[in-house]
Amino acid sequence: MSTEHFVWSNRITAFLLLFFLILGGGCTMRRPSVFTTPVVLPSDTLRETPASLPDTTLASEPPLSDLASLKSEAPALGLDSLPPDSLGRPTALADSLPATTRPDSLAAETDEPDSLFSSPEGQEKPIVLESVIEFAAEDSIVMLGQNRVYFFGKGKVDYQSMNIQSNFMHINTDSSEVYAQYVLDHEGHPTAYPTFTDGKQTFESETMRYNFRTEKGYITGILTQQGEGFLMSDEAKRMPDNTMYIQGGRYTTCDNHLNPHFYLQLTRAKVVPDKNIVAGPAYMVMGGVPLYLIGLPFGFFPFNEQRTSGLIMPSYGEEADRGFYLRGLGLYYAINDYVDLTARADLYTKGSWGLSLESNYRRRYKYSGHVTAGYVSTSRGDKQIPGDYSKTRDFTFNWSHTQDPKVDPLRTFSASVNFSTSSYNHNSLETMYDPDRRAENTKGSSVSYSRRFTSIPLSLTAALNIDQRSRDSTLSVSLPNLSISLSTIYPFKRKKRVGKELWYEKISMSYSGSFRNSITTKENLILQSSLVRDWRNGMQHSIPISASFTLFDYIRITPSLNYNARWYTSRTTMRYDSTKERLVDADTTYGFYHVNDFSLSLSASTTLYGFYKPWKIFGDKVQMIRHRITPSVSLGYSPDFGDPFWGYYRTVQYTTPDGQLHEEPYSLYRNGIFGAPSRGKSGAISFSFSNNLEMKIRAPQSDTTDNEEAFKKISLIDQLDWRASYNMMADSMRWSNISASISFRFSSRFSLRLSGDFDTYLYDYQLDANGNPRPYRVNKLRVLNGKGLGRLIGTGTGFSYQFNNQSWGKLVDWYRKTFKKKESEVTEDQMADNTSAPQDDDIPSQTDPMSLDGAAGVVSRQRSSQDILGAHDADGYVSWNFPWNFSFNYSMNLGYDYAKFDTESREYRYKLTHNLSFRGDFKPTKNWSFMFDANYNFDLKRITNMTLSIARDLHCWQLSASIIPIGPYKSYTVTIGVKSQLLKDIKYQQANLTTGNNVSWY
């Protein structure tokens, strides 16, 4: 390098430093570079700022289309900050300062005042920005003439809450403007698009120009997310209040930003971020094909994240019985921060209609609830055809209320109401095609309030209970249902005990009382019932007194006394009806009636253990088998409350049609809500045996984490109980039926339980006037007549299980451990079944290497292969995962068929009833999913209900099909529409919904 060139370089460097110091830029050339002082604009440059020009001057930078025409003059910007020469080496930029002689900026003192301290007459004062402009670049910062600063590599500019990030930017210090644009990668593709962030507003663009002072900007190729959708436009102007005016905009919910599958073409629009978009004429574009006929004169897209009152758009369709419909047309009203209200209406072209109200309420840390009420008027058939037209009215009411336990632990109010007319599920369009809701036979509702006291162990409960049976529209109402209970107390226990506990201190007692007013009737008769004649009411008191003592350290003796009192307001006498040939109600008298009963009992119980250790010749895996037996014997006594002394029973004498004289007792309080005392003296001895069988085995070495030997227990029989009693004071039939139950626990989630009763006496029969047998029990024990200890009366069980990928994998692992299968013997198919998708940390990064740091929340145009194809495995291949789920529910009941009596064997025949329901779903690919749900009726030997569903994820669209192929509700529905809830009305639906039994569509 020559001496002359070195001198000129030093002069140029000094000149640049003095120039920027005079302008007040305060900039240093180091990486990263940051403004540390406010930028002061010279007064002589104010004439060139956009403040004095129209807004169109913001577009003075040539757009991308014009930049393309300049490729012959200057090469396109790439990842390198400087274009290479022919040898591939970076070339130096041309000198931006011409070699001309300029006057000395630091001239000798003159009589004129310094321009830095006083402004000439007629010129405005310098404008100082409100905050510091901070900037940095990863590659380099180049300062050239015309007061411009260029940034190469990943750079950023921060001003107050505004942030711009780009791989190429330049700042004009005279006009306070920053310009940014994308760069090209090594293959010539656009990448590293500039991002803009100001508060909550974020967007990506191709180019952008922003003025710090006016806070206005001009953007091309903008991409931003608004609500559930994405907004793109060719040109946009940003205003100081973050509002944007766009031209040539596109709004879509498809995240394939470069080639969206569909979008709404907006000719002009105004965008208020996070609030709404107001658009002018718009039309639909699907697959790049404009559909001008599917257009709107204007559009409004709200994006308010808070609750806002407004209209609810309906859905449309067709049903065979009720015609075309509009469903869900309504209004949402946000009453306040705690309560809202939603009103919806359903309209049908053949006269049916429906109305529903829904409200949610919530007070944090206090309570929350949900209320729904609906009314449906259904018209079917033709009025002109006799017997074809029908009209039904149904309603429903649902209420759920939950109280936060932290509010008051002593007071609790809860509600769970599910009330509807019996035919509502068959007439409401929301439930009639749902097999679970349609088959719902029983519904229950309850509203309760409870109060506890801290000083005494007393609690009060008031409740309303309603039980419904849809099959025959039976309704059971209990209002009110009051109860009071006193927990167990020891009235004779000393407060300060000295020495051993005395025997009378072990005496305990408790109290429970309830008042109930209830009725069981039909739905259409509930409002016509009489509170005195039809409603049953009464009050019951129960006081158990007991004590517990230990005899010989192993036997527990428990004497007890139970006292019950019933208060009724009526009693009923009976008479014999010769036409019906049975006793019927004769007369009901009203008053206050007090009915008492009591019983005494003495029980003894203990626990016995038996152990068995297998012989060594069978191996040492089974260490011990333990059998636990808990026998219990009790003696109970209760007097004969059917004796005339008590006055609870009376007798009726009558003569049968065949001339026989009968005398039949009956209770005056048999219709009482709490029943009547039992008739007949009882002095019974009860026996019960509870058994448990467990096995202790040596755990496999792989299950232990240390060198210590480990064992585990396996339940062979989880529980085996049987009970029986013998009444010493009965004149016949002294032995009761034998009750037994058994339970097996196969795993922590699956167990099987069976229970049943066994009859201990034989049967005989007589023929009635029609020649039909009338069976009855005889006082002959089966065990004494060679018929076994007892005959099964009835039993039942039910169980359900769910299979999926995880449970199948556990089953395979159990099989391998059981048979000690080595890992080397595992086949490739078994390994594929248990291969799960890798975690996010294991998936190779598919993001663009030029993505900017700190641009969180900004929507990117590039989509990774993981977003398109799904998760990848460790080798970079798309992992194939086959999630599936299958569950079934089976119930079985076996018992006497009391309608069929075998006269030859003198036994009742058995009747078996069982039901099977199963459902499942599976996804063979990422986008396909299948679901099925069915019930099998063993009596009819066919499937009675079935629903099949297929869904296909079409990225931003959803294709779904549902079919009910059998049953009275045969139908199908095929829908293709946008997945987003914002544009859910953009859909096509083909359906054939019918409720007629003789309508066929295939």
Side-chain angles (χ1 to χ4, degrees):
M1 179 182 295
S2 64
T3 305
E4 182 180 0
H5 184 75
F6 179 79
V7 171
W8 275 104
S9 299
N10 289 340
R11 290 178 179 178
I12 293 173
T13 303
F15 181 82
L16 288 174
L17 291 175
L18 290 174
F19 178 79
F20 280 98
L21 287 174
I22 292 173
L23 293 179
C27 177
T28 59
M29 292 183 62
R30 65 176 183 266
R31 190 187 309 166
S33 301
V34 179
F35 272 129
T36 58
T37 58
V39 177
V40 182
L41 300 179
S43 58
D44 57 351
T45 62
L46 295 178
R47 295 186 303 271
E48 301 176 2
T49 60
S52 59
L53 297 176
D55 291 340
T56 57
T57 60
L58 294 174
S60 60
E61 190 72 13
L64 294 180
S65 59
D66 297 336
L67 291 176
S69 63
L70 301 178
K71 288 185 177 180
S72 60
E73 301 179 6
L77 290 172
L79 296 178
D80 297 329
S81 59
L82 298 177
D85 59 6
S86 59
L87 297 179
R89 297 173 301 179
T91 59
L93 293 173
D95 193 352
S96 60
L97 299 177
T100 58
T101 303
R102 292 189 179 187
D104 191 356
S105 60
L106 301 176
E109 295 182 359
T110 60
D111 296 334
E112 295 180 3
D114 194 343
S115 60
L116 296 177
F117 298 94
S118 63
S119 300
E121 186 177 353
Q123 294 184 357
E124 299 180 4
K125 295 182 179 181
I127 297 177
V128 180
L129 297 179
E130 298 179 357
S131 180
V132 176
I133 300 177
E134 297 180 355
F135 58 83
E138 185 178 277
D139 186 282
S140 59
I141 299 177
V142 180
M143 295 179 293
L144 302 178
Q146 302 175 355
N147 299 331
R148 290 194 178 186
V149 182
Y150 287 84
F151 302 83
F152 296 93
K154 295 181 180 179
K156 68 174 182 177
V157 176
D158 293 330
Y159 175 71
Q160 294 181 342
S161 61
M162 186 275 300
N163 172 269
I164 297 178
Q165 296 189 13
S166 176
N167 280 29
F168 173 77
M169 291 185 295
H170 68 73
I171 297 178
N172 191 329
T173 59
D174 290 342
S175 59
S176 302
E177 288 183 4
V178 58
Y179 173 80
Q181 74 173 49
Y182 65 85
V183 298
L184 303 178
D185 60 11
H186 298 288
E187 298 179 356
H189 299 150
T191 186
Y193 291 90
T195 62
F196 178 90
T197 304
D198 189 0
K200 294 183 178 180
Q201 184 185 27
T202 60
F203 58 81
E204 183 184 89
S205 65
E206 294 178 351
T207 66
M208 69 173 66
R209 183 182 299 277
Y210 180 78
N211 189 292
F212 297 104
R213 186 174 60 83
T214 62
E215 298 184 359
K216 295 181 180 180
Y218 175 79
I219 310 108
T220 63
I222 190 173
L223 169 62
T224 181
Q225 183 172 1
Q226 297 293 326
E228 299 181 25
F230 304 94
L231 178 66
M232 297 166 283
S233 70
D234 298 333
E235 295 179 293
K237 183 186 293 184
R238 182 187 182 274
M239 307 307 292
D241 59 351
N242 291 341
T243 302
M244 289 191 297
Y245 295 91
I246 66 174
Q247 183 175 0
R250 299 178 297 276
Y251 185 76
T252 179
T253 58
C254 179
D255 60 357
N256 186 12
H257 309 300
L258 297 179
N259 296 293
H261 298 104
F262 82 101
Y263 57 87
L264 291 174
Q265 183 69 45
L266 312 178
T267 56
R268 289 182 177 87
K270 176 183 177 181
V271 181
V272 181
D274 297 328
K275 187 176 180 181
N276 56 53
I277 295 179
V278 180
Y283 57 89
M284 177 70 70
V285 178
M286 297 187 65
V289 179
L291 305 176
Y292 299 105
L293 297 179
I294 307 179
L296 297 172
F298 64 91
F300 180 78
F301 306 91
F303 307 123
N304 200 331
E305 296 181 356
Q306 299 179 352
R307 296 187 308 157
T308 305
S309 302
L311 294 176
I312 301 175
M313 299 303 294
S315 60
Y316 56 90
E318 181 186 5
E319 188 189 349
D321 284 354
R322 290 179 281 194
F324 296 96
Y325 62 80
L326 286 177
R327 285 185 53 220
L329 175 63
L331 173 68
Y332 176 80
Y333 178 51
I335 301 176
N336 52 39
D337 293 338
Y338 311 105
V339 185
D340 64 358
L341 178 64
T342 304
R344 290 186 177 91
D346 301 336
L347 303 176
Y348 300 84
T349 56
K350 293 186 179 181
S352 301
W353 59 276
L355 179 65
S356 65
L357 298 175
E358 181 178 355
S359 177
N360 297 279
Y361 58 90
R362 180 182 179 86
R363 291 294 298 269
R364 184 174 295 181
Y365 308 121
K366 289 187 177 182
Y367 56 81
S368 62
H370 176 79
V371 182
T372 303
Y375 181 85
V376 177
S377 176
T378 306
S379 300
R380 289 190 174 93
D382 191 348
K383 293 183 179 180
Q384 306 300 327
I385 302 176
D388 184 63
Y389 179 78
S390 65
K391 186 174 184 179
T392 59
R393 296 179 177 88
D394 300 283
F395 72 92
T396 181
F397 180 77
N398 296 271
W399 179 29
S400 63
H401 179 90
T402 304
Q403 176 183 308
D404 194 319
K406 303 183 186 65
V407 176
D408 191 348
L410 300 179
R411 298 179 179 86
T412 303
F413 178 78
S414 63
S416 177
V417 179
N418 180 18
F419 182 83
S420 64
T421 54
S422 58
S423 57
Y424 178 83
N425 290 346
H426 297 271
N427 292 326
S428 175
L429 197 60
E430 296 180 354
T431 58
M432 64 185 303
Y433 294 100
D434 186 349
D436 295 333
R437 295 285 301 276
R438 190 178 64 250
E440 187 180 40
N441 183 43
T442 59
K443 294 185 287 288
S445 304
S446 65
V447 180
S448 63
Y449 170 81
S450 62
R451 174 73 166 90
R452 295 189 298 110
F453 300 89
T454 57
S455 57
I456 56 175
L458 186 68
S459 63
L460 302 174
T461 303
L464 161 67
N465 301 99
I466 301 177
D467 295 323
Q468 292 179 265
R469 190 166 62 241
S470 301
R471 182 179 57 187
D472 53 2
S473 68
T474 300
L475 186 67
S476 298
V477 181
S478 180
L479 173 67
N481 190 356
L482 306 176
S483 62
I484 178 173
S485 62
L486 179 68
S487 301
T488 302
I489 60 173
Y490 295 87
F492 305 109
K493 181 170 289 189
R494 292 169 292 178
K495 294 183 179 179
K496 296 182 179 180
R497 192 180 69 180
V498 178
K500 294 183 178 181
E501 186 178 21
L502 301 178
W503 67 269
Y504 56 83
E505 291 184 288
K506 299 181 179 180
I507 298 176
S508 64
M509 66 176 297
S510 61
Y511 168 80
S512 63
S514 60
F515 172 78
R516 193 179 304 168
N517 182 44
S518 66
I519 185 175
T520 301
T521 183
K522 300 295 183 181
E523 293 178 359
N524 57 343
L525 301 177
I526 182 66
L527 299 179
Q528 304 176 10
S529 59
S530 172
L531 181 62
V532 177
R533 295 190 306 270
D534 300 327
W535 287 73
R536 299 189 305 161
N537 47 64
M539 189 168 186
Q540 183 184 35
H541 309 270
S542 178
I543 304 177
I545 302 174
S546 63
S548 181
F549 307 98
T550 302
L551 183 64
F552 306 126
D553 294 334
Y554 296 104
I555 302 176
R556 181 174 295 274
I557 306 298
T558 304
S560 62
L561 167 66
N562 294 316
Y563 171 77
N564 297 304
R566 304 171 181 87
W567 295 351
Y568 292 134
T569 58
S570 64
R571 64 181 184 182
T572 305
T573 59
M574 302 187 72
R575 63 178 179 85
Y576 179 76
D577 190 341
S578 58
T579 57
K580 298 181 180 180
E581 298 183 2
R582 60 182 178 87
L583 297 181
V584 295
D585 293 343
D587 188 21
T588 301
T589 58
Y590 299 94
F592 179 76
Y593 302 100
H594 190 199
V595 183
N596 303 317
D597 71 272
F598 60 91
S599 62
L600 301 172
S601 66
L602 178 65
S603 64
S605 63
T606 187
T607 302
L608 304 176
Y609 293 92
F611 297 91
Y612 172 73
K613 187 173 184 179
W615 294 349
K616 293 293 184 180
I617 59 176
F618 297 107
D620 60 347
K621 187 172 184 178
V622 179
Q623 295 294 306
M624 191 70 66
I625 296 177
R626 188 187 70 173
H627 182 200
R628 186 185 64 190
I629 306 175
T630 305
S632 176
V633 180
S634 63
L635 175 64
Y637 169 79
S638 63
D640 183 10
F641 293 102
D643 191 276
F645 170 79
W646 303 97
Y648 302 152
Y649 284 82
R650 292 184 182 179
T651 58
V652 174
Q653 293 183 353
Y654 61 91
T655 304
T656 60
D658 55 0
Q660 296 183 3
L661 183 62
H662 284 269
E663 186 177 279
E664 185 174 348
Y666 69 91
S667 174
L668 295 171
Y669 307 99
R670 69 192 177 280
N671 295 328
I673 193 171
F674 298 109
S678 60
R679 189 173 65 91
K681 186 182 297 186
S682 175
I685 301 178
S686 300
F687 309 91
S688 67
F689 292 88
S690 179
N691 300 265
N692 174 264
L693 193 63
E694 293 180 333
M695 180 173 63
K696 182 179 180 181
I697 64 173
R698 189 188 305 273
Q701 190 68 25
S702 60
D703 295 346
T704 59
T705 57
D706 48 22
N707 296 328
E708 296 183 0
E709 192 174 19
F711 303 92
K712 65 179 181 180
K713 294 188 297 183
I714 297 178
S715 175
L716 300 179
I717 300 179
D718 195 53
Q719 186 177 6
L720 174 60
D721 301 339
W722 65 272
R723 295 167 298 277
S725 63
Y726 178 78
N727 190 356
M728 300 179 295
M729 296 185 179
D731 55 356
S732 62
M733 309 288 184
R734 294 183 176 181
W735 284 98
S736 66
N737 293 332
I738 300 175
S739 299
S741 63
I742 188 171
S743 175
F744 299 95
R745 184 177 298 277
F746 299 101
S747 66
S748 59
R749 298 178 53 189
F750 181 71
S751 61
L752 178 63
R753 177 180 293 272
L754 292 171
S755 61
D757 295 331
F758 294 86
D759 200 341
T760 55
Y761 288 93
L762 296 177
Y763 283 85
D764 204 347
Y765 69 95
Q766 291 181 348
L767 297 178
D768 58 10
N770 298 323
N772 298 320
R774 300 181 61 180
Y776 59 91
R777 296 180 73 187
V778 294
N779 191 21
K780 294 181 180 180
L781 288 172
R782 292 180 176 273
V783 67
L784 299 179
N785 291 270
K787 293 295 185 74
L789 186 63
R791 187 170 186 262
L792 180 64
I793 298 176
T795 185
T797 186
F799 57 89
S800 61
Y801 200 79
Q802 181 178 3
F803 297 94
N804 51 31
N805 301 71
Q806 291 76 18
S807 61
W808 181 258
K810 292 180 180 179
L811 183 62
V812 173
D813 294 340
W814 173 83
Y815 177 82
R816 292 173 182 169
K817 290 181 179 180
T818 303
F819 296 95
K820 298 181 179 180
K821 198 169 187 178
K822 298 181 180 180
E823 295 183 359
S824 59
E825 298 177 357
V826 180
T827 61
E828 295 181 357
D829 294 338
Q830 292 171 334
M831 294 179 64
D833 292 339
N834 295 277
T835 301
S836 59
Q839 302 296 326
D840 294 340
D841 297 339
D842 300 332
I843 300 174
S845 176
Q846 303 291 332
T847 58
D848 189 89
M850 292 297 296
S851 61
L852 299 177
D853 297 334
V858 180
V859 181
S860 178
R861 300 170 192 263
Q862 285 84 8
R863 297 178 64 208
S864 64
S865 60
Q866 179 177 344
D867 297 333
I868 301 174
L869 302 177
H872 295 65
D873 57 16
D875 297 327
Y877 295 98
V878 177
S879 60
W880 184 75
N881 196 11
F882 186 76
W884 58 273
N885 179 64
F886 177 78
S887 62
F888 69 92
N889 191 332
Y890 176 77
S891 61
M892 181 271 296
N893 287 280
L894 176 66
Y896 281 172
D897 187 355
Y898 290 99
K900 297 179 180 179
F901 185 79
D902 191 347
T903 56
E904 295 183 0
S905 61
R906 288 178 169 80
E907 300 286 359
Y908 282 106
R909 295 179 180 177
Y910 284 113
K911 180 180 180 181
L912 177 63
T913 58
H914 43 176
N915 184 40
L916 175 65
S917 61
F918 51 92
R919 64 179 59 190
D921 59 83
F922 60 94
K923 295 185 65 176
T925 64
K926 175 186 175 182
N927 298 321
W928 281 101
S929 62
F930 298 85
M931 189 273 292
F932 60 90
D933 186 352
N935 294 325
Y936 183 80
N937 191 308
F938 288 90
D939 294 335
L940 301 177
K941 297 181 180 180
R942 61 183 178 88
I943 296 177
T944 54
N945 293 311
M946 176 179 287
T947 302
L948 303 175
S949 300
I950 304 174
R952 175 67 164 88
D953 189 349
L954 301 174
H955 187 228
C956 52
W957 289 67
Q958 178 81 18
L959 172 64
S960 61
S962 178
I963 180 174
I964 303 177
I966 57 177
Y969 296 93
K970 292 181 180 179
S971 61
Y972 72 90
T973 303
V974 180
T975 304
I976 180 172
V978 179
K979 290 196 297 185
S980 173
Q981 290 294 320
L982 182 65
L983 302 177
K984 63 180 181 180
D985 295 314
I986 302 179
K987 66 177 181 179
Y988 174 78
Q989 183 177 18
Q990 179 67 33
N992 186 8
L993 304 180
T994 176
T995 57
N997 294 332
N998 52 0
V999 177
S1000 178
W1001 48 266
Y1002 63 87

